């Protein structure tokens, strides 16, 4: 019966997994569709300059590009500011379905500093990001299987090369852009919607006889076609650069609702799906076996203990029943444990609700900064549940200073995160990067923390402390019993480190794709699989903690409170070690500041993961211990 029930449960979960895998690209477009008539003005907006080598975004106008008469910032949400996105207007303007060639943007004379900045950006492989009708500009890259196309986000600032017959390496700038705007036309009304925005960057050393601003006739363009054999535009001090662009329009069968599909298409997607399904199946079957063993062993133990009591046999108790008088003795640093458990509940609530919104399509990449904004706001509002959980546990441990405990819950975890974030932000600011969070946004974050999160933690703590404490299923002895010498494999450090392997194994393949999307500037939008992996993470954290807690109690060691938290939480150590492996094998970061940023942010992520998984393991073990001791008859 046990085997059949376990296998049917696994089969059901796999069916749900397949259902989610079919719907992985469901999203809401993020903006309302805009219809364009022939001749309507189109404005290309410029975003940040980004590089996977430095991870430091810069404002587009940090380089000496063409500037409009007045630079206008588009409205930014909290997530966009934290990500370093600065969306501004540009000189690239044209009209819907009216093709243009060799349009002059401006001419710029490079001084020594401007040339140096361009060369540094080319060295670090920076890419220019632009937006048209909320679609990011993309460069087409052929897929390895030669079927379809894959987009690379943005285009390179320039490239390095050598003139024929010389060994000296020169720098060249992409100063001519060939835009291709794809549109889907309504056959009845002739209005169109933009469904694609591609660019082909070129480097051209333009020549002209007389400069007349935008009306300049370029000698390098004959009948609006770039002359073949024109040399590329070199970057150096006192060099003059003319920025130009072409615009072509192409009708497309892609409908507006599906226009993000190509952007969200991941390369090696089959490897992605098979790897995740393989990982999940291993973890699922392992979890099923663990659950089956635990249920059978436990039922036998409880039946034996109760049978001994009914027969009034005066045999000595053995195993986990022997420590019933100490199993609910409050642990050392119980207040700190309450703080970490409360914080874990807050992170769990934020993660769960964020994933729900993502699954419903509200946090698609087209809704820029939406994911990060949602996470920050949900963290703030989940303070209510964090304070409540912390206070309930604190009262069960017979704590009296609930206000002090609440202050720790409200300030400890966010304070550590804010401290690391402040140091990293100072480093980014020192590099003059647009990724540095402005002072006003810092104040807004502080206001959210002190003005909303802290009061909600206090409200939650007040409600939690007002409720009557949870009763222990057995009485605690006045004198703690001595713990016998433990076998080497039951020692705390070994047991804790072994416990973190299985939860990490449930997420490490998905972790690769998450890290790739964060650090290699790719879109991540497979929240269906991510949600399934999150569910598997919860199951594995709970089960491995329960199993190891059971073995610990059987060896007459009743210090399970902190052990339960650290067993599941140790998976964060493997996560951080994996991030070190990822840094040296997948990234090409060369700058010291960029390396510090990477490890700083991964430390924040690993710390949050520790608190989340530790809390899941703790609550699973807490439920388990209360369950088994309330199931046996104790004299």
């Amino acid at each position: 019966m046990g085997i059949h029930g376990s296998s049917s449960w696994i089969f059901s979960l796999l069916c749900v997994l397949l259902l989610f895998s079919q719907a992985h690209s469901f999203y809401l477009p993020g903006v309302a569709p805009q219809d364009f008539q022939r001749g309507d003005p189109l404005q290309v907006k410029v975003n940040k300059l980004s590089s996977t080598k430095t991870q430091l975004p810069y404002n587009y106008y940090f380089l000496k590009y063409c500037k409009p008469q007045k630079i206008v910032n588009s409205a930014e949400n909290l997530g966009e500011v934290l990500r370093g996105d600065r969306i501004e207007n540009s000189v690239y303007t044209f009209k819907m379905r009216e093709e243009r060639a060799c349009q002059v943007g401006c001419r710029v004379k490079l001084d020594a500093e401007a040339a140096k900045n361009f060369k540094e950006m080319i060295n670090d492989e920076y890419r220019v990001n632009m937006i048209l009708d909320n679609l990011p500009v993309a460069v087409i890259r052929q897929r390895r299987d030669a079927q379809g196309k894959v987009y690379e986000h943005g285009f390179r600032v320039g490239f390095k090369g050598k003139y024929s017959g010389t060994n000296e390496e020169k720098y060249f700038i992409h100063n001519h852009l060939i835009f291709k705007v794809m549109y889907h036309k309504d056959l009845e009304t002739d209005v169109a919607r933009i469904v694609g925005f591609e660019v082909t960057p070129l480097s051209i050393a333009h020549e002209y006889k007389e400069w007349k601003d935008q009306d300049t006739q370029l000698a390098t363009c004959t009948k609006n076609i770039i002359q073949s054999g024109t040399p590329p535009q070199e970057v150096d001090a006192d060099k003059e650069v003319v920025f130009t662009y072409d615009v072509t329009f192409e009708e497309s069968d892609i409908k507006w609702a599906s226009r993000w599909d190509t952007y969200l298409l991941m390369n090696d997607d089959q490897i992605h799906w098979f790897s995740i399904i393989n990982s999940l199946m291993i973890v699922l079957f392992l979890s099923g076996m663990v659950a089956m063993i635990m249920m059978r062993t436990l039922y036998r133990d409880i039946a034996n203990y109760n049978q001994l009591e009914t027969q009034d046999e005066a045999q000595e108790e053995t195993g986990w029943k022997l420590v019933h008088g100490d199993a609910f003795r409050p642990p050392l640093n119980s207040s700190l444990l309450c703080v970490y458990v409360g914080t874990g509940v807050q992170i769990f609530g934020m993660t769960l609700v964020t994933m729900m919104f993502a699954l419903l399509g509200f946090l698609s990449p087209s809704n820029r900064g939406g994911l990060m904004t949602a996470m920050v706001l949900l963290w703030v509002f989940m303070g209510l549940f964090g304070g409540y959980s912390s206070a309930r546990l604190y009262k069960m441990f017979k704590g009296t200073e609930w206000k002090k405990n609440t202050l720790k819950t409200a300030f400890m975890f966010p304070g550590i995160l804010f401290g690391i974030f402040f140091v990293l932000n100072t480093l980014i600011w020192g590099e003059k990067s647009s990724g540095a969070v402005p002072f006003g946004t810092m104040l807004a974050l502080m206001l959210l923390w002190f003005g909303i999160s802290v009061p909600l933690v206090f409200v939650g703590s007040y409600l939690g402390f007002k409720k009557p404490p949870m009763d222990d299923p057995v009485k605690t002895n006045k004198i703690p019993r001595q713990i016998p010498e433990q076998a080497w494999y039951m020692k705390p450090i070994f047991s804790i480190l072994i416990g973190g392997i299985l939860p990490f194994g449930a997420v490490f393949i998905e972790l690769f794709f998450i890290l790739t999307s964060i650090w290699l500037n790719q879109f991540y939008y497979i929240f269906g699989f991510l949600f399934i992996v999150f569910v598997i993470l919860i199951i594995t954290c709970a089960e491995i903690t329960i199993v190891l807690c059971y073995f610990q109690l059987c060896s007459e060691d009743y210090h399970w409170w902190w052990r339960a938290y650290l067993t599941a939480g140790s998976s964060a150590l493997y996560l951080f070690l994996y991030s070190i492996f990822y840094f040296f094998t997948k990234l090409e970061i060369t700058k010291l500041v960029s390396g510090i940023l990477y490890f700083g942010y991964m430390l924040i992520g690993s710390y949050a993961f520790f608190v989340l998984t530790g809390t899941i393991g703790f609550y699973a073990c807490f439920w388990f211990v209360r369950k088994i001791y309330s199931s046996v008859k104790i004299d």
Side-chain angles (χ1 to χ4, degrees):
M1 180 66 186
I3 296 172
H4 176 73
S6 177
S7 59
S8 63
W9 170 77
I10 291 167
F11 178 74
S12 302
L13 200 50
L14 282 173
C15 288
V16 175
L17 166 64
L18 291 173
L19 181 67
F20 272 119
S21 70
Q22 294 299 315
H24 72 274
S25 59
F26 169 73
Y27 59 88
L28 297 177
V31 292
Q34 190 170 355
D35 294 325
F36 294 95
Q37 303 276 0
R38 186 185 293 272
D40 281 351
L42 299 177
Q43 172 74 58
V44 175
K45 295 181 179 180
V46 290
N47 198 348
K48 61 188 176 186
L49 305 169
S50 59
S51 166
T52 56
K53 277 196 166 185
T54 68
Q55 304 297 334
L56 291 167
Y58 282 88
N59 187 291
Y60 175 80
Y61 294 113
F62 176 79
L63 293 179
K64 204 166 181 181
Y65 281 123
C66 299
K67 290 184 180 179
Q69 289 183 345
K70 184 181 179 183
I71 297 173
V72 180
N73 288 310
S74 298
E76 295 166 342
N77 58 40
L78 181 61
E80 284 179 298
V81 177
L82 293 174
R83 281 163 44 91
D85 283 346
R86 302 288 185 272
I87 299 173
E88 297 158 322
N89 58 328
S90 73
V91 297
Y92 299 107
T93 56
F94 35 85
K95 293 182 179 180
M96 186 67 176
R97 291 156 69 185
E98 290 184 9
E99 298 196 349
R100 294 283 184 268
C102 278
Q103 294 293 294
V104 176
C106 73
R107 66 172 173 171
V108 171
K109 189 164 187 180
L110 301 180
D111 54 25
E113 186 183 357
K116 175 174 164 285
N117 288 340
F118 269 114
K119 286 178 181 179
E120 284 181 358
M121 293 284 184
I122 292 168
N123 263 332
D124 291 329
E125 298 179 7
Y126 269 84
R127 304 183 81 89
V128 181
N129 295 284
M130 296 180 171
I131 297 167
L132 177 65
D133 190 36
N134 202 44
L135 272 182
V137 75
V139 176
I140 296 175
R141 177 166 56 87
Q142 199 67 29
R143 287 182 64 156
R144 290 177 190 172
D145 54 13
Q147 294 178 357
K149 59 186 178 182
V150 174
Y151 279 162
E152 283 186 346
H153 312 307
F155 60 90
R156 292 270 181 96
V157 170
F159 60 94
K160 290 188 287 186
K162 297 173 184 175
Y163 288 116
S164 57
T166 65
N167 289 324
E168 189 183 358
E169 201 167 46
K170 298 284 187 180
Y171 293 82
F172 303 98
I173 185 177
H174 284 137
N175 62 323
H176 182 79
L177 305 177
I178 304 172
F179 293 116
K180 180 159 80 170
V181 180
M182 286 165 286
Y183 62 92
H184 185 79
K185 190 171 70 172
D186 189 315
L187 297 175
E188 294 179 4
T189 59
D190 201 45
V191 298
R193 292 176 178 176
I194 294 172
V195 295
F197 184 37
E198 298 173 0
V199 69
T200 304
L202 297 174
S203 181
I204 299 167
H206 283 300
E207 296 174 3
Y208 57 90
K209 289 183 180 179
E210 185 182 358
W211 185 260
K212 296 179 181 177
D213 292 331
Q214 271 69 30
D215 297 325
T216 303
Q217 296 297 314
L218 298 171
T220 40
C221 289
T222 308
K223 294 183 179 179
N224 290 339
I225 297 172
I226 302 293
Q227 285 186 342
S228 58
T230 306
Q233 176 61 59
E234 193 179 326
V235 175
D236 219 337
D238 297 326
K239 289 274 185 183
E240 188 179 77
V241 181
V242 178
F243 289 94
T244 55
Y245 61 98
D246 297 349
V247 185
T248 61
F249 289 86
E250 182 182 292
E251 190 170 353
S252 172
D253 294 330
I254 299 170
K255 293 187 177 176
W256 186 85
S258 305
R259 65 181 190 160
W260 273 85
D261 284 1
T262 314
Y263 291 90
L264 301 180
L265 185 68
M266 297 184 69
N267 208 7
D268 301 329
D269 48 357
Q270 285 190 333
I271 295 172
H272 184 75
W273 303 134
F274 284 128
S275 297
I276 292 175
I277 291 171
N278 184 49
S279 172
L280 292 177
M281 285 183 69
I282 292 168
V283 173
L284 279 171
F285 283 112
L286 190 56
S287 300
M289 288 174 64
V290 165
M292 203 164 56
I293 292 165
M294 284 301 302
M295 293 300 287
R296 289 189 171 183
T297 310
L298 259 180
Y299 278 135
R300 191 177 65 241
D301 281 353
I302 292 167
N304 288 342
Y305 288 148
N306 288 336
Q307 193 176 11
L308 290 176
E309 292 297 328
T310 54
Q311 291 177 358
D312 295 326
E313 293 181 5
Q315 294 179 8
E316 187 182 349
E317 295 171 343
T318 56
W320 55 267
K321 193 183 176 188
L322 196 60
V323 293
H324 67 81
D326 298 276
F328 292 93
R329 189 180 301 283
L332 293 171
N333 297 318
S334 57
S335 175
L336 185 63
L337 181 63
C338 297
V339 169
Y340 269 104
V341 169
T343 305
V345 169
Q346 196 171 351
I347 295 174
F348 180 81
M350 174 199 75
T351 308
L352 187 65
V353 178
T354 302
M355 284 198 185
M356 290 298 181
F357 277 122
L359 279 174
L360 293 172
F362 290 111
L363 302 177
S364 72
S366 58
N367 183 9
R368 296 174 203 289
L371 183 63
M372 193 165 284
T373 305
M375 289 177 72
V376 172
L377 294 179
L378 284 168
W379 160 261
V380 168
F381 291 118
M382 288 296 163
L384 183 72
F385 299 100
Y388 179 84
S389 308
S390 178
R392 287 284 285 150
L393 198 60
Y394 186 68
K395 190 166 186 180
M396 193 192 79
F397 290 146
K398 298 178 176 57
T400 52
E401 299 177 318
W402 73 274
K403 292 177 183 174
K404 190 175 177 182
N405 182 70
T406 306
L407 279 171
K408 286 182 187 175
T409 308
F411 288 102
M412 188 171 170
F413 178 80
I416 292 170
L417 256 62
F418 192 82
I420 298 171
F421 178 71
F422 185 79
V423 171
L424 295 178
N425 195 62
T426 306
L427 290 173
I428 299 170
W429 178 76
E431 293 289 321
K432 299 177 182 177
S433 167
S434 66
V437 176
F439 182 70
T441 308
M442 278 284 197
L443 285 179
L445 289 172
M446 297 285 281
L447 188 65
L448 284 171
W449 181 12
F450 288 96
I452 301 175
S453 180
V454 173
L456 282 176
V457 172
F458 265 91
V459 170
S461 287
Y462 176 74
L463 294 173
F465 209 75
K466 256 181 66 173
K467 294 197 76 173
M470 290 177 277
D471 293 324
D472 296 333
V474 289
K475 289 183 180 178
T476 302
N477 296 334
K478 290 184 179 178
I479 301 171
R481 70 180 277 123
Q482 196 167 351
I483 299 170
E485 182 67 26
Q486 299 291 300
W488 65 269
Y489 52 83
M490 288 308 298
K491 294 282 176 71
I493 294 177
F494 182 79
S495 178
I496 286 166
L497 291 176
I498 286 295
I501 294 173
L502 191 60
F504 173 73
V507 299
F508 90 96
I509 291 180
E510 197 64 26
L511 183 66
F512 169 81
F513 292 99
I514 293 170
L515 291 178
T516 300
S517 67
I518 294 171
W519 299 109
L520 295 180
N521 291 337
Q522 294 183 11
F523 288 122
Y524 182 88
Y525 205 70
I526 42 175
F527 290 109
F529 269 115
L530 186 62
F531 182 74
I532 292 293
V533 170
F534 182 60
V535 171
I536 297 300
L537 176 67
I538 294 170
I539 294 167
T540 48
C541 282
E543 287 188 344
I544 196 67
T545 310
I546 288 171
V547 170
L548 292 176
C549 181
Y550 172 72
F551 291 150
Q552 182 188 346
L553 291 172
C554 284
S555 63
E556 300 176 26
D557 182 356
Y558 51 84
H559 295 313
W560 63 270
W561 299 94
W562 273 108
R563 182 93 72 95
Y565 196 98
L566 296 172
T567 296
S570 66
S571 55
L573 173 64
Y574 296 103
L575 188 151
F576 190 73
L577 291 174
Y578 180 77
S579 72
I580 296 172
F581 171 78
Y582 185 87
F583 178 85
F584 288 108
T585 57
K586 296 295 178 185
L587 300 182
E588 298 177 7
I589 290 175
T590 50
K591 285 191 175 181
L592 177 63
V593 171
S594 304
I596 294 170
L597 285 181
Y598 174 84
F599 287 111
Y601 283 127
M602 288 311 302
L603 185 64
I604 289 175
S606 300
Y607 184 40
F609 192 72
F610 163 74
V611 177
L612 171 66
T613 52
T615 302
I616 294 167
F618 172 82
Y619 270 118
C621 200
F622 181 61
W623 168 84
F624 170 74
V625 174
R626 288 180 66 86
K627 195 78 174 169
I628 63 172
Y629 283 109
S630 61
S631 302
V632 293
K633 298 175 184 176
I634 308 288
D635 285 338

